[in-house]
Amino acid sequence: MDFRSIIPKMHGATSIWLAAIVLSLPELSPLEFLASLSVFFAVAAGHNVIFKGKADRWDYLVLSVASALISFTALQNPVIFLYSIPLLLSVAFRKDFRKYVIFSSLLTTIPASYISSEIAFLLFVSFSFAGVLLADSFIYSDRRTGVAGIVQYALISLLTAKVMVVMTSLLILPFLVKMRLKTLGLYLLFCVLAYSLSLLLIIYHV
């Protein structure tokens, strides 16, 4: 049993998870913190089970614990049940790596669902999803997904919190400045962390 296998290699997904933890940490109960932490380890285990189809007992144990913890929190936070949609889509498109990554990445925003502000939660998921689509557009040289991500975020922020529309500029910049994929990954990590901190400042009026 290789314990290194529980550390996720999908760096984009772990970046989103980290930002979600930063955003939700001030409000997490002990159980919600454990559930959020379990999401981190479930990324690699879920990848082995759903996409690779090659999993060991450790992977199933990690997923069982994560499922139990998240399910317990869902009893008091029904928003969690919405994540069944990207989960089912990840399973449905498990043979299409591109689509699988897009939908499964949404699952790493679970920690953000524990914050009390529904608007902040929606904005964070929207911005994170835009980042995933932006990365996809550069990896596969298909600008359509990146543009779609930017447009959906711009519309949601315009309808819910106009002050956050300005953050669209962060998503547009990679189209204006040439970046290597590694640089883009680090840039998107910075963006999603900066976005979490911006939401925290708004939520707590700092």
Side-chain angles (χ1 to χ4, degrees), residues 23-195:
L23 176 61
S24 61
L25 194 57
E27 297 188 50
L28 291 178
S29 67
L31 179 59
E32 290 170 342
F33 176 76
L34 290 175
S36 298
L37 188 61
S38 73
V39 172
F40 175 78
F41 296 105
V43 170
H47 183 65
N48 291 335
V49 172
I50 298 174
F51 181 75
K52 290 185 176 180
K54 297 179 180 179
D56 56 27
R57 287 177 294 179
W58 180 250
D59 292 313
Y60 288 109
L61 176 61
V62 169
L63 288 179
S64 297
V65 172
S67 297
L69 289 170
I70 295 170
S71 296
F72 279 127
T73 62
L75 297 177
Q76 295 183 335
N77 183 14
V79 172
I80 294 293
F81 291 112
L82 292 176
Y83 283 95
S84 61
I85 298 174
L87 176 59
L88 291 173
L89 289 173
S90 298
V91 174
F93 292 104
R94 63 187 180 278
K95 294 185 179 180
D96 185 332
F97 185 70
R98 185 178 180 182
K99 293 177 182 177
Y100 162 76
V101 169
I102 290 175
F103 294 123
S104 61
S105 294
L106 284 172
L107 298 173
T108 58
T109 65
I110 285 178
S113 66
Y114 297 122
I115 63 176
S116 56
S117 173
E118 295 178 355
I119 290 178
F121 165 64
L122 177 61
L123 286 168
F124 178 79
V125 172
S126 176
F127 188 84
S128 299
F129 188 51
V132 171
L133 293 179
L134 185 62
D136 174 270
S137 71
F138 278 84
I139 292 171
Y140 294 99
S141 300
D142 184 357
R143 291 200 170 197
R144 293 176 299 176
T145 51
V147 171
I150 293 171
V151 170
Q152 64 85 24
Y153 171 73
L155 288 175
I156 289 177
S157 58
L158 184 64
L159 293 173
T160 58
K162 292 183 176 63
V163 68
M164 298 304 287
V165 175
V166 68
M167 302 299 276
T168 305
S169 60
L170 294 177
L171 300 170
I172 295 175
L173 187 60
F175 284 116
L176 304 178
V177 179
K178 188 175 181 179
M179 296 183 185
R180 294 181 178 179
L181 284 178
K182 185 176 181 179
T183 303
L184 177 64
L186 292 173
Y187 175 75
L188 291 176
L189 169 60
F190 162 78
C191 287
V192 75
L193 284 173
Y195 196 82

